Amino acid sequence: MKISKDFSICVVAGRTFLAPLGSQTIDMKKMIDLNGSARMLVEALQENDCTKEELLEKILSRYEIDEATASADLDEFIRKAKQIGIIEE
Protein backbone atom coordinates (compact mmCIF):
# COMPACT_ATOMS: atom_id res chain seq x y z
CA MET A 1 0.00 0.00 0.00
CA LYS A 2 1.03 3.59 -0.49
CA ILE A 3 -0.44 7.07 -0.20
CA SER A 4 -1.86 8.53 -3.40
CA LYS A 5 0.24 11.30 -4.91
CA ASP A 6 -2.98 13.35 -4.94
CA PHE A 7 -2.60 14.00 -1.19
CA SER A 8 -0.05 15.77 0.99
CA ILE A 9 0.42 16.37 4.71
CA CYS A 10 0.09 19.99 5.82
CA VAL A 11 0.13 21.63 9.24
CA VAL A 12 -2.31 24.47 9.93
CA ALA A 13 -2.41 26.21 13.30
CA GLY A 14 -0.62 23.29 14.92
CA ARG A 15 -3.02 20.67 13.52
CA THR A 16 -1.96 18.11 10.95
CA PHE A 17 -4.12 17.47 7.89
CA LEU A 18 -3.94 15.25 4.85
CA ALA A 19 -5.06 17.54 2.06
CA PRO A 20 -5.99 16.80 -1.55
CA LEU A 21 -3.84 18.33 -4.30
CA GLY A 22 -4.62 19.58 -7.78
CA SER A 23 -8.15 19.03 -9.07
CA GLN A 24 -8.92 17.05 -5.89
CA THR A 25 -8.95 20.30 -3.85
CA ILE A 26 -12.49 20.96 -5.01
CA ASP A 27 -13.75 18.11 -2.82
CA MET A 28 -12.91 19.38 0.69
CA LYS A 29 -14.57 16.28 2.19
CA LYS A 30 -11.29 14.58 1.33
CA MET A 31 -9.32 16.83 3.73
CA ILE A 32 -8.64 14.79 6.84
CA ASP A 33 -7.58 15.91 10.31
CA LEU A 34 -4.87 13.44 11.38
CA ASN A 35 -4.21 12.39 14.96
CA GLY A 36 -0.72 11.27 15.95
CA SER A 37 -1.12 7.63 15.01
CA ALA A 38 -2.77 8.41 11.67
CA ARG A 39 0.04 10.86 10.86
CA MET A 40 2.60 8.16 11.66
CA LEU A 41 0.85 5.74 9.31
CA VAL A 42 0.53 8.28 6.50
CA GLU A 43 4.19 9.28 6.81
CA ALA A 44 5.24 5.61 6.72
CA LEU A 45 3.15 5.05 3.59
CA GLN A 46 4.61 8.16 1.94
CA GLU A 47 8.15 6.93 2.54
CA ASN A 48 7.67 3.33 1.32
CA ASP A 49 5.07 0.89 0.20
CA CYS A 50 4.00 -0.94 3.36
CA THR A 51 1.97 -4.01 4.09
CA LYS A 52 -0.66 -4.09 6.79
CA GLU A 53 1.68 -6.23 8.88
CA GLU A 54 4.48 -3.64 8.64
CA LEU A 55 2.09 -0.87 9.68
CA LEU A 56 0.83 -2.98 12.57
CA GLU A 57 4.43 -3.49 13.75
CA LYS A 58 4.95 0.30 13.74
CA ILE A 59 1.83 0.82 15.86
CA LEU A 60 2.75 -1.90 18.34
CA SER A 61 6.30 -0.61 18.73
CA ARG A 62 5.12 2.95 19.40
CA TYR A 63 1.95 2.54 21.47
CA GLU A 64 0.95 0.44 24.44
CA ILE A 65 -1.97 -1.36 22.84
CA ASP A 66 -2.90 -5.01 22.40
CA GLU A 67 -2.45 -6.50 18.96
CA ALA A 68 -6.14 -7.31 18.41
CA THR A 69 -7.25 -3.73 19.10
CA ALA A 70 -4.41 -2.26 17.02
CA SER A 71 -5.23 -4.57 14.12
CA ALA A 72 -8.94 -3.71 14.22
CA ASP A 73 -8.18 0.03 14.36
CA LEU A 74 -5.71 -0.31 11.48
CA ASP A 75 -8.29 -2.20 9.41
CA GLU A 76 -10.73 0.67 9.95
CA PHE A 77 -8.10 3.28 8.99
CA ILE A 78 -7.22 1.35 5.81
CA ARG A 79 -10.90 0.85 4.89
CA LYS A 80 -11.70 4.55 5.25
CA ALA A 81 -8.51 5.65 3.49
CA LYS A 82 -9.23 3.36 0.51
CA GLN A 83 -12.84 4.56 0.40
CA ILE A 84 -11.69 8.18 0.10
CA GLY A 85 -8.93 7.28 -2.36
CA ILE A 86 -5.99 8.11 -0.11
CA ILE A 87 -4.43 4.63 -0.15
CA GLU A 88 -3.45 2.89 -3.36
CA GLU A 89 -2.53 -0.80 -3.64
Side-chain angles (χ1 to χ4, degrees), residues 8 30 51 59 84:
S8 180
K30 291 187 176 181
T51 63
I59 293 168
I84 296 170

Side-chain angles (χ1 to χ4, degrees), residues 37-50:
S37 57
R39 181 178 180 166
M40 178 192 65
L41 295 172
V42 168
E43 287 173 343
L45 290 166
Q46 284 181 320
E47 291 173 13
N48 299 303
D49 287 356
C50 295

Side-chain angles (χ1 to χ4, degrees), residues 1 32 35 37-38 41 45 52 55-56 59 67-87:
M1 291 179 283
I32 300 171
N35 64 22
S37 57
L41 295 172
L45 290 166
K52 178 191 173 198
L55 294 174
L56 183 58
I59 293 168
E67 187 171 344
T69 301
S71 182
D73 290 350
L74 179 57
D75 286 341
E76 182 68 10
F77 171 81
I78 292 169
R79 184 189 67 73
K80 286 181 178 179
K82 284 182 177 179
Q83 183 178 26
I84 296 170
I86 294 168
I87 289 181

Side-chain angles (χ1 to χ4, degrees), residues 10-17 33-34 39:
C10 62
V11 178
V12 178
R15 293 177 65 185
T16 305
F17 294 90
D33 189 359
L34 300 176
R39 181 178 180 166

